[in-house]
Every structure is written in structure tokens, then in C-alpha cells.
Amino acid sequence: MDSEFARSTRTRLLAPLSWAAYITWGGITASAVPSAALVRGDIGVWLGFGALLVMLALFVLQAAHVIDHARHRPRAIAALLAQGLMVVLAQHLLGSAGVSVLLIIVSGQLFTMLSVPMATAILVLLNAAVLALWRLRGFELDDLLLSILPMLGFQAFAALTAMYAERSERRGDALADLNAELQATQRLLEESTRSDERLRLSRELHDVAGHKLTALKLHLRALHRDPAFAGREELGISLQLADELLADIRAVVSELRQHDGIQLGDALAALARPLPGVRIELQGREQARVASVAQAEVLLRFAQEGLTNALRHGQASHVALRVDTVDGRLRLSVEDDGHGRLPLAEGNGLRGMRERLAAFGGELHIEPCTPQGLRFRAELPALAATVAA
């Protein structure tokens, strides 16, 4: 988990847009902070430089998802607003118009985190603050507006670039989800084919080979009772071989019937694919066997719904899929450490899942986890109980 998280964090920190922000910050800081004033110990310059450092530190924390806007939205919004305020403060303390260019970095984050109207309003307020500070310094409003128009254009460009990049990432996530679903469905179809073939072979062996061997044994025993053949060694060996062959066939049929039903462990493993910053584990997959493809599909869709709820709504970092059998019932649970809590507003997905489980005599339970998160548990009659019924 640590290596996956470190790898995903490194990828985000070294992304092209992040590099563009680092270069922009470095260039603006180098031009706006006079080194001579730093050496002299000018308090205003040091404070302005400190504001720029704080702004960069907050950007790095958000780029690395240490301050994650998906999981800690209020904190992330506050950190983003603080970045903008640090830019305004640094511009005021350093007296350099170029510092306000750093609002381009803030703009790129605003429009990926907030709605367009809200992000636009915040950006307008920050630019208005910059204009007001320069107006207090005695600059003419007409000159200021002409100076800020190009910067507004760059801010809009940064916002659009960030928005399209995020949309592309979301599409990539959607394609990954679709691919995982297709792989899980493929595993289910393969297992269904194998199950049908095992059932066909077991029936052929039992109904055809078994019956003919039984008939052969009856004829051999009839010959063995005939005085004309009773002493023949070959007949005794034939009877023994027929007995052993029939026993072997019955053992093979029993072995094949032990694997009756649909094993959906591989399909669940396809759904539990690794994701950046998220650990998904599958336990007890060897027990994930149900009586029919229809039941397997219900459990597969349940697992998919539980994973979606944990990752997208609960923003979990660890999800466990557990399969076990208790009191003659097969249980599949999806446990997460996300931020979901009860009572849970159930949408059409969960309501539909309850109905589909109920059609097979199953149930859906939703419980809180300790110390946080939710557990979604589906129960169906176990395979042995279903077959017996």
C-alpha cells in the first residue's frame, strides 16, 4: 500500500501541470524578491517571500493529495483560498505586479474543485483585491485594467486546461471501471462454460458409462455362475477390472459434482483491481461458489455497487471484499474505511440490489465499521443448501 501511495503521489507531483506551476512560481519569485533586500534583512521583503513559500507549500500539499479535496473538501477549499490570499499579500508586500501572475496557478485549481460560478466569483474577488491594492498605491484605474486583462486571459487559459485535464482523467477512470466490469463478466462466462461442461461430463459418465459397466458386470457374474466358465481365471480378472472401473467412474463423477455451481472468485478478483492510493483486498475467494449464473451475477453486481459506494462516495483508502459461509448461507461483504455513515440515503442501485437478492432468498445488510466506514453484506443460501432444496 505504501509503495502504491508513494508512486501515485510522485506521479501527481511530477505531472506536467505541476511542473508548469513550479516553473512559474520560481520565475516570478526570482524576479519579484530582490536578493539585496533579503541580505539587508528587509522585513517586508522577508514577509512577502514567506507568503510565496506558504503558497508553494500549500500547492504541493494539494498536488500530492495530502490535502485531498475529495476526502477533506472544506479543508482543501480553505487551503486553496489561502493560496490566493498569500499571492495578494505577497504582491502587496513586495510591490511587484508580476506576483499577481501566480493567480494563474490558483485559477487552475479553483475550476477543478468548485463549480464554475463559485470559482469565477472567488477569482474575481482575488483580482479585485489586487486592483484595489494597486489603486491605493496611486495607479490610474484605466492603466490597471489594461494591465490586468492579459493576466485574466492567462487565468482563463489555465482554468480551461485544468478542467479538460480533469475530464480526461475522469474518462480514463470510467474506462478502467468498464474494463474491470468486462473482465469480471468474461471470467463469469468462462466459469459458466466450465461448470456446464463439468455437469455434462458427470452426467455422461454416470448415465452412459456407469450404466453400461453395471450391465457388463451383471453379464460377467452370470457367466461366472455358469459351470462351463466358473473356473476361468480370465473371467475373474474381468469381473475385478469391471468393479474397479465402475468405482473409478463413480469417484470421478463425485469429484466433478463437488465442483457443481459457479465459482466467481476470478470475477471478483477482476473487480478488485489495484487503484492508486487505494488498497483493495479479496478474502475467501475459494468459498465464492453459487448455484447458478443468475446468482453469481447478482453477487458480482453487488460487489461492484459496494466498491463504487466505498471509492466514489465514501472516499475510502482501504476496501476489503470478504466471502464466507455461516449457518448455511453464503455471505459477501464489502468493508471500507471511508466517510460514509448511517443512516444512508439509499438510491435506486441499493434498492434494486435488495430486490435482486430477495428473488433468490437473499438479504442485504448495511452496518457501520469500526472506527469508521461502512460494511455492505449480501447473504444468499449456500450452494449445498440450494442443491438440497
Side-chain angles (χ1 to χ4, degrees):
M1 177 182 178
D2 292 338
S3 60
E4 289 180 4
F5 180 77
R7 188 162 49 247
S8 62
T9 299
R10 187 164 54 249
T11 300
R12 288 190 292 264
L13 287 176
L14 300 180
L17 290 179
S18 297
W19 272 112
Y22 303 148
I23 294 171
T24 302
W25 184 91
I28 294 298
T29 302
S31 63
V33 180
S35 57
L38 287 176
V39 173
R40 289 196 310 268
D42 188 319
I43 187 65
V45 174
W46 272 103
L47 288 175
F49 182 51
L52 290 177
L53 288 176
V54 171
M55 181 263 176
L56 177 64
L58 290 172
F59 172 79
V60 169
L61 289 175
Q62 289 200 283
H65 285 195
V66 175
I67 303 177
D68 193 343
H69 71 268
R71 300 184 65 183
H72 309 289
R73 187 173 178 81
R75 189 187 309 170
I77 293 174
L80 183 53
L81 292 176
Q83 287 185 54
L85 293 176
M86 288 299 104
V87 172
V88 175
L89 178 61
Q91 183 262 332
H92 174 63
L93 292 171
L94 297 172
S96 173
V99 173
S100 55
V101 174
L102 293 177
L103 289 178
I104 294 173
I105 299 175
V106 178
S107 173
Q109 299 171 79
L110 273 172
F111 283 83
T112 60
M113 189 180 303
L114 300 173
S115 64
V116 173
M118 180 64 71
T120 303
I122 292 175
L123 203 57
V124 167
L125 290 175
L126 291 173
N127 283 283
V130 171
L131 283 174
L133 289 174
W134 282 111
R135 189 76 177 88
L136 290 174
R137 288 176 177 266
F139 288 86
E140 294 296 329
L141 184 59
D142 293 344
D143 295 335
L144 290 175
L145 290 176
L146 288 175
S147 300
I148 204 171
L149 281 177
M151 190 172 67
L152 292 175
F154 283 119
Q155 291 174 14
F157 178 77
L160 289 172
T161 301
M163 288 173 63
Y164 283 120
E166 187 186 38
R167 288 180 183 177
S168 177
E169 185 177 353
R170 285 202 299 264
R171 289 193 185 100
D173 292 341
L175 286 174
D177 290 342
L178 180 60
N179 182 59
E181 183 178 349
L182 289 174
Q183 287 188 2
T185 302
Q186 181 182 3
R187 301 291 186 276
L188 189 59
L189 289 174
E190 291 173 353
E191 176 60 26
S192 175
T193 301
R194 286 194 292 267
S195 177
D196 290 343
E197 185 64 16
R198 286 194 301 267
L199 182 61
R200 186 187 69 81
L201 286 174
S202 66
R203 286 175 176 172
E204 288 291 328
L205 286 173
H206 181 271
D207 297 340
V208 178
H211 288 173
K212 288 184 177 180
L213 273 174
T214 301
L216 176 61
K217 282 181 58 178
L218 293 176
H219 285 290
L220 289 173
R221 291 189 183 281
L223 288 174
H224 193 266
R225 288 193 295 269
D226 191 329
F229 299 98
R232 299 289 297 270
E233 181 181 0
E234 296 87 346
L235 185 58
I237 294 174
S238 297
L239 273 172
Q240 181 181 351
L241 289 174
D243 288 336
E244 292 176 355
L245 183 56
L246 185 59
D248 291 341
I249 287 178
R250 286 172 176 170
V252 170
V253 170
S254 298
E255 179 67 21
L256 289 173
R257 295 310 296 262
Q258 284 182 2
H259 299 283
D260 274 353
I262 303 296
Q263 168 60 251
L264 67 154
D266 290 342
L268 290 174
L271 282 182
R273 69 193 190 285
L275 296 172
V278 181
R279 183 163 62 99
I280 302 179
E281 58 176 321
L282 175 59
Q283 301 176 1
R285 59 183 291 178
E286 65 281 352
Q287 300 184 56
R289 183 176 295 278
V290 291
S292 66
V293 176
Q295 289 180 332
E297 184 181 4
V298 169
L299 288 181
L300 200 61
R301 297 298 168 245
F302 163 78
Q304 188 176 16
E305 184 75 20
L307 286 171
T308 298
N309 186 82
L311 299 177
R312 294 185 181 173
H313 305 307
Q315 301 300 325
S317 60
H318 174 234
V319 184
L321 275 72
R322 293 190 172 90
V323 184
D324 57 6
T325 304
V326 178
D327 297 331
R329 295 179 72 80
L330 178 71
R331 299 195 309 187
L332 171 60
S333 61
V334 182
E335 303 177 14
D336 66 74
D337 63 351
H339 300 278
R341 60 183 61 185
L342 298 177
L344 189 67
E346 295 190 11
N348 293 328
L350 287 178
R351 283 197 294 269
M353 194 56 59
R354 286 188 187 278
E355 294 169 357
R356 296 178 72 179
L357 286 168
F360 293 99
E363 298 174 341
L364 172 63
H365 303 275
I366 305 176
E367 306 160 342
C369 289
T370 304
Q372 67 179 32
L374 292 175
R375 179 187 298 108
F376 293 80
R377 189 176 79 248
E379 292 188 4
L380 281 176
L383 177 62
T386 303
V387 173

